[in-house]
Amino acid sequence: MKSATCGILAAAFALGPLAAAADSPLGTDPIRLVIPFGPGGGSDITARVLAATAPEFCGPRIDVVSMPGAAGLEAVNFVRSATPNGHTLLVTDYGPIVTSGFIDEVDWEHSDWQPVMNFTEWLPTVYTRSDHDIQTIEDWVAVAEANPESVTFGHASPLGIVHLPLVLFEMETGLQNVHVPTSGGGETRSLVMGGHIDLGMTLPASIASEVAAGDLTALGVFASERSPALPDTPTFREAGYDVVLPAWLMIFATDEVPSETVTFLQDCFIEALASPTAVAMSDRVNAGISPLNAEESMELYMATVASIGSILREIGEIE
Amino acid sequence: MLESFVEALALATDPWVILYVSLGVFMGVTLGAIPGLSGDMAIAILLPIVFFLEPASALGLLTGIYKGGMFGGSISGISFGVPGTPGAAATTIDGYQAKLRGYPNKAMHTALYSSVIGDTTSDLILIFVALPLAIVALSFGPVEFFALYAFALLLISALTKGKVAKGIAMAALGILLAMIGRDPIGGSLRLTFGIPQLAGGLALIPVLVGIFAVSELILQLADAWMRKARRIVEDTKAKAEGLFEDYDAKADRLTWREFRGTLKATWIGTGMGTLIGALPGAGSSLAAFISYGLAQQFSRRRQDFGKGSLEGVAAAEAGNSATSGSTLIPLFAFGIPGSATAALFGAAFILMGMTPGPRLIYDHTAIIYALFIILIYANLVNLAMSKVLLPVYSKVAMIQSRILLPIVCVLAIFGTFAAGNSVVDVWVMLAAGLLGVVLRIYGFPLAPLILGFIVGPGAERALRQSLLIGGGDWMHLLSSPIAVGLYATAAAMILLFTVILRDRTQPPKPATGKEGSP
């Protein structure tokens, strides 16, 4: 229901210890982690682990601000137009920054952003009911080959992180499925469980317990290695389809932020996430945080820009 | 079983937990009463606190806020004609009319009692019959949802007597406004006229606050200026004005007889609210509007609806509040968050290291039982605290508008901005206000517009998903018995109440100044 619940997740909450290191190059003004999604989702929860633990290492308080307006572009533009001093950062998956940078009319380029660090890699996973005829990647391919456009496939946000892997898979295999966009992971799941559609795509953490309980079956993961949350689920690569499109969750600064500030943030964020408190929190919320530094993140970011660009060109979304 | 119940009881009745529940209810009622701010928002802001509080305290606080906010939205709806939360939009239709007729206290008490009755019943259903209802909820797919939305739109559009055409036109306009932004299926932009800020569509809060609140403010201001201007021309003396307008607090008490008269409407609202609340994605506003529509159709005093009917307030508020327990059913049964609030509760569970879903109640029996106990007694806390607060709030409602209006105006702008951290939303709100003024002047009903706007995206998505799944065949919309049943009921009701029973309704009264406003 639009942004009825989107909230200021911010200022009211000075939870971080105020024992700010006075010698922090960032001073005492709070750092804002702006997320282009509503509160309560995976990005929000992951960002909060950092917000709760990093002040001790970085100095100032950290607020998580949710701005889902204009399909996330409002958050991106907000960070873009903020003073480039490292106090306003964007936390996003590739949808609002890589995909939007290609298909939406924006006044920035992909190269106008620099990653500070990467939290995690999410592995898009195809799943269905455990009493459905299709139970493996091979079953799916067989049905789709026998009857093209007979399998209905639900996914959130067109061209986002749980849709593009399907597009890529179809490009590789030539299979055709009926794509049914939904309002989010919750709706996809209720359509799958209610028998209204055949397959859906989501991230492992949100179905792990149902898969363990035997209510849902995870067919396969679009990644180079299996997901720790779903150790029994094969990758598509294992099944012989080289389709790998993991989704990352990265912190970005604009390229105008001085590199020493970015380096400082990278160091203190990664240090904070390695602290016992952060590790315990990450385990508790199943966030699977394993940080990459700015340089590694940059590599991953540019690779994603290239691969998504080629998918979008192939399907005719861009020239 | 008994052992975990005792453990849960100990958790739930810990003095600190009771304190947090009370604090939550107070915050919820107060925030809910501010147009634009809602309980959901407060929960979103306070979500990180679950990292630091005991699970029972955290859940108590969130539950309190949620329940308080559910009811609080009706306070500003009744007082200022501004639904404090989207769910209270239907309560506003009759609630504000009741206030204009000088009995805000009656309306607020009706809202409170029906809210508590609806909420408690819904909680009991969550606790005892969650699973069967959850299975019904899962059988609602795109085909069934589209039928439900169509049913709701027809019902509300046909409500305004003698203005069915205007009602349908307004519902259509609401759907059109909801279509601005990104196409939910193809992802392309539409109706944005090249304005990038409209890419995400119009948000609900600014449209709601604009249509109801800003238009009311503008009209009242115009009225006040007109009187002042006339006074200057005629050089008459203003009568002595106190803080309060002419208001008889003694006459404005809800009697037992009046309360009993609203019970049927309350139970209609409770039933519909519980059912619709359990459907993932349907939402409390839809439940409130459908309850209101049905209560009117089945009322012996239909002609009073829209003119300050306490039955109208009771049905809408019971329908709104009765979603609160059942909205958690899909979350507990399948781990599916059926509403924004359920999503936030789901996030709270995750932050506490508990994964929502069928295993939840087995893996964390004590804390879930404790939550059930809190859900029930938070209603009593809500009742008691609101009983204390209401006399104050209903007096506030009667404060001179020259004092009240600027305050409400500031709150509306603040609340709208805070809801999405967006300046664009404030402009949308002001534009919606101007639209509201025009529509009111020409006697268009506002409720169908709001309902159309609320269900528009869902209805469009459901229709297009149905057609995708059905391979483009429109007959697929009739492939489900539930959908056929809904269409048949809608058709039968409209026939029954517009053609067959037409003679029973009273001849139209001469239009009063406020008729046609929500």
Side-chain angles (χ1 to χ4, degrees):
Chain A
M1 205 197 280
K2 303 257 158 156
S3 53
T5 55
C6 41
I8 27 168
L9 292 159
F13 252 67
L15 286 171
L18 289 175
D23 52 343
S24 163
L26 287 170
T28 51
D29 287 349
I31 298 173
R32 281 177 296 195
L33 298 178
V34 183
I35 58 169
F37 310 104
S43 332
D44 182 32
I45 289 174
T46 311
R48 282 181 196 291
V49 173
L50 185 64
T53 50
E56 198 185 321
F57 301 91
C58 302
R61 186 179 88 220
I62 300 181
D63 299 325
V64 179
V65 184
S66 170
M67 283 194 194
L73 281 181
E74 208 163 302
V76 179
N77 291 333
F78 178 80
V79 176
R80 186 86 206 124
S81 56
T83 321
N85 56 6
H87 281 271
T88 310
L89 304 168
L90 182 69
V91 178
T92 183
D93 65 39
Y94 65 68
I97 188 160
V98 179
T99 310
S100 288
F102 280 120
I103 62 174
D104 289 309
E105 282 184 32
V106 291
D107 52 9
W108 43 263
E109 308 264 324
H110 290 119
S111 57
D112 292 343
W113 296 93
Q114 54 176 333
V116 176
M117 61 157 278
N118 185 44
F119 278 110
T120 180
E121 277 202 301
W122 284 327
L123 313 178
T125 305
V126 179
Y127 69 102
T128 185
R129 295 188 310 286
S130 47
D131 59 354
H132 196 283
D133 288 342
I134 296 175
Q135 288 293 307
T136 61
I137 298 174
E138 290 74 25
D139 293 347
W140 178 22
V141 173
V143 173
E145 269 176 353
N147 295 301
E149 306 231 331
S150 67
V151 177
T152 48
F153 197 113
H155 61 82
S157 58
L159 304 181
I161 62 171
V162 290
H163 182 217
L164 275 183
L166 172 66
V167 174
L168 189 60
F169 180 63
E170 292 184 342
M171 274 165 52
E172 292 286 323
T173 56
L175 297 175
Q176 285 173 319
N177 301 279
V178 178
H179 298 208
V180 182
T182 67
S183 61
E187 189 184 345
T188 308
R189 188 129 59 101
S190 65
L191 293 183
V192 169
M193 293 181 100
H196 305 285
I197 55 175
D198 299 307
L199 306 176
M201 192 164 352
T202 189
L203 303 175
S206 60
I207 52 167
S209 78
E210 277 80 3
V211 170
D215 295 333
L216 291 176
T217 305
L219 269 62
V221 187
F222 288 108
S224 48
E225 279 169 35
R226 293 189 178 199
S227 157
L230 298 169
D232 299 329
T233 305
T235 63
F236 276 80
R237 187 177 268 176
E238 288 174 48
Y241 304 96
D242 193 16
V243 182
V244 175
L245 196 55
W248 34 255
L249 182 68
M250 242 177 235
I251 305 182
F252 286 93
T254 60
D255 65 343
E256 291 158 19
V257 176
S259 63
E260 51 272 31
T261 310
V262 170
T263 309
F264 175 80
L265 285 169
Q266 166 208 278
D267 292 346
C268 71
F269 284 170
I270 289 180
E271 198 180 346
L273 290 173
S275 69
T277 328
V279 171
M281 272 187 185
S282 168
D283 286 348
R284 197 162 82 172
V285 302
N286 233 332
I289 295 177
S290 80
L292 299 180
N293 66 23
E295 201 184 321
E296 295 160 329
S297 303
M298 187 62 162
E299 219 167 280
L300 184 59
Y301 171 57
M302 293 322 291
T304 312
V305 169
S307 64
I308 289 182
S310 70
I311 298 174
L312 293 173
R313 257 185 295 277
E314 186 103 6
I315 59 172
E317 281 289 333
I318 53 170
E319 307 215 321
Chain B
M1 167 86 192
L2 188 69
E3 199 178 312
S4 33
F5 180 76
V6 172
E7 193 188 343
L9 197 65
L11 277 175
T13 52
D14 182 274
W16 278 103
V17 175
I18 297 178
L19 189 74
Y20 274 112
V21 170
S22 313
L23 181 71
V25 169
F26 178 74
M27 284 174 56
V29 172
T30 310
L31 287 176
I34 298 175
L37 298 182
S38 67
D40 279 354
M41 232 179 81
I43 294 178
I45 294 171
L46 290 177
L47 209 47
I49 210 171
V50 302
F51 268 137
F52 304 96
L53 282 184
E54 289 293 313
S57 301
L59 287 174
L61 182 70
L62 300 185
T63 306
I65 296 175
Y66 180 35
K67 288 180 186 292
M70 239 15 194
F71 165 66
S74 65
I75 293 178
S76 60
I78 293 166
S79 305
F80 324 125
V82 186
T85 55
T91 314
T92 304
I93 303 173
D94 270 297
Y96 186 55
Q97 291 301 313
K99 180 244 169 166
L100 292 178
R101 284 164 174 73
Y103 48 99
N105 191 39
K106 280 184 191 185
M108 285 188 201
H109 275 90
T110 305
L112 176 61
Y113 298 144
S114 52
S115 176
V116 169
I117 291 174
D119 201 336
T120 310
T121 312
S122 180
D123 295 337
L124 290 171
I125 287 173
L126 164 71
I127 297 168
F128 294 109
V129 284
L131 211 58
L133 198 56
I135 289 164
V136 172
L138 270 194
S139 68
F140 267 70
V143 172
E144 292 80 7
F145 264 115
F146 182 69
L148 179 70
Y149 292 136
F151 173 80
L153 284 168
L154 276 174
L155 187 67
I156 298 302
S157 303
L159 276 186
T160 335
K161 219 181 316 167
K163 289 183 185 167
V164 178
K166 280 186 169 174
I168 292 177
M170 283 298 94
L173 181 63
I175 295 174
L176 185 70
L177 289 177
M179 287 174 71
I180 293 175
R182 212 170 277 281
D183 175 340
I185 303 296
S188 53
L189 292 178
R190 57 186 186 189
L191 301 175
T192 59
F193 302 100
I195 304 169
Q197 287 83 354
L198 291 181
L202 306 180
L204 174 61
I205 297 278
V207 170
L208 194 67
V209 173
I211 287 277
F212 281 111
V214 178
S215 71
E216 179 74 24
L217 292 175
I218 294 174
L219 287 177
Q220 290 208 17
L221 196 67
D223 184 51
W225 279 358
M226 217 165 65
R227 270 185 282 143
K228 272 204 200 308
R230 201 175 301 139
R231 219 175 276 152
I232 293 168
V233 174
E234 294 173 3
D235 195 27
T236 54
K237 268 188 191 151
K239 66 170 181 181
E241 286 176 345
L243 182 62
F244 298 102
E245 278 167 24
D246 186 19
Y247 171 55
D248 183 0
K250 283 227 176 72
D252 186 13
R253 288 241 173 90
L254 185 69
T255 65
W256 175 245
R257 179 190 284 272
E258 284 168 326
F259 170 67
R260 251 189 5 210
T262 64
L263 272 180
K264 184 167 84 177
T266 301
W267 288 117
I268 291 176
T270 302
M272 289 317 296
T274 305
L275 193 67
I276 291 175
L279 303 177
S284 61
S285 329
L286 182 70
F289 276 110
I290 291 187
S291 305
Y292 179 83
L294 287 178
Q296 171 169 9
Q297 304 292 26
F298 289 107
S299 169
R300 267 195 226 118
R301 303 178 59 185
R302 296 180 59 193
Q303 69 280 2
D304 291 347
F305 275 67
K307 298 178 192 137
S309 163
L310 293 179
E311 283 181 81
V313 173
E317 195 54 29
N320 168 15
S321 295
T323 60
S324 76
S326 58
T327 196
L328 297 176
I329 289 176
L331 186 72
F332 283 173
F334 309 114
I336 295 168
S339 64
T341 314
L344 291 169
F345 269 90
F349 285 135
I350 293 172
L351 290 175
M352 289 187 274
M354 310 172 5
T355 312
R359 301 289 317 156
L360 192 60
I361 196 155
Y362 302 105
D363 295 345
H364 307 275
T365 311
I367 186 68
I368 296 299
Y369 279 12
L371 174 66
F372 286 164
I373 298 168
I374 291 171
L375 280 172
I376 298 290
Y377 84 68
N379 290 326
L380 301 177
V381 175
N382 188 7
L383 182 67
M385 188 167 293
S386 300
K387 274 296 276 186
V388 177
L389 292 175
L390 272 191
V392 182
Y393 283 126
S394 63
K395 268 199 162 174
V396 169
M398 289 319 227
I399 290 178
Q400 279 284 345
S401 48
R402 70 196 158 89
I403 299 162
L404 200 55
L405 283 185
I407 298 175
V408 175
C409 190
V410 169
L411 287 179
I413 292 176
F414 168 74
T416 303
F417 176 74
N421 292 327
S422 161
V423 184
V424 180
D425 284 355
V426 176
W427 290 112
V428 169
M429 176 189 82
L430 296 175
L434 291 180
L435 176 67
V437 170
V438 174
L439 295 177
R440 282 179 174 204
I441 289 174
Y442 289 98
F444 285 95
L446 298 183
L449 173 78
I450 290 301
L451 186 69
F453 187 74
I454 289 173
V455 307
E460 186 195 356
R461 209 172 54 243
L463 176 63
R464 293 178 62 184
Q465 286 172 339
S466 306
L467 291 175
L468 278 171
I469 294 170
D473 181 4
W474 286 80
M475 291 310 286
H476 185 63
L477 291 177
L478 299 176
S479 64
S480 142
I482 297 177
V484 173
L486 281 167
Y487 291 127
T489 316
M493 278 198 352
I494 286 179
L495 270 180
L496 186 66
F497 292 111
T498 55
V499 180
I500 302 168
L501 296 182
R502 187 192 282 167
D503 301 336
R504 260 182 50 188
T505 57
Q506 297 199 337
K509 288 181 186 156
T512 54
K514 279 288 172 187
E515 201 169 14
S517 56

